[in-house]
């Protein structure tokens, strides 16, 4: 139980502190992993399986966004992207 809560809290802290798109994606993965482990521990295997599919699609979409931003903007830092926008 402590591992699941720890993963979720570390992921949330990472989301609040990081400014790099790759670090933000890693924080999302930690949160999702904590939620999935928690659901499996509770015995909600079917819900965890459906959510793992949704989370994996989200991770793939986020990866595509990171690649798109890197190729078009040349940076993955949020502040630099905001400055390039105007």
């Amino acid at each position: 139980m402590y591992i699941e809560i720890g993963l979720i809290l570390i992921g949330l802290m990472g989301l609040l502190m990081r400014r790099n798109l790759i670090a933000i994606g890693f924080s999302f993965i930690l949160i999702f992993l904590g939620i999935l482990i928690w659901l499996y521990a509770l015995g909600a295997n079917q819900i965890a399986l459906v959510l793992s599919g949704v989370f994996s699609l989200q991770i793939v979409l986020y990866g595509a966004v990171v690649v798109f931003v890197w190729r078009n903007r040349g940076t993955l830092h949020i502040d630099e992207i905001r400055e390039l926008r105007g």
Side-chain angles (χ1 to χ4, degrees):
M1 183 72 159
Y2 294 117
I3 294 173
E4 298 91 350
I5 293 172
L7 285 173
I8 293 170
L9 290 177
I10 289 172
L12 288 174
M13 287 188 300
L15 284 177
L16 294 174
M17 292 189 305
R18 296 293 175 189
R19 307 294 281 176
N20 188 325
L21 290 178
I22 293 176
I24 291 171
F26 182 69
S27 297
F28 274 122
I29 291 170
L30 286 179
I31 292 172
F32 296 152
L33 182 64
I35 291 171
L36 289 177
I37 292 172
W38 196 353
L39 286 173
Y40 276 120
L42 292 175
N45 294 338
Q46 292 177 344
I47 296 172
L49 183 63
V50 170
L51 285 179
S52 68
V54 171
F55 293 157
S56 64
L57 289 174
Q58 187 269 336
I59 290 168
V60 169
L61 178 64
Y62 196 83
V65 167
V66 166
V67 169
F68 178 76
V69 169
W70 175 257
R71 285 188 179 174
N72 289 333
R73 300 291 184 181
T75 184
L76 292 176
H77 202 271
I78 293 174
D79 293 331
E80 293 175 5
I81 294 170
R82 287 182 185 152
E83 288 175 7
L84 290 172
R85 255 183 19 196

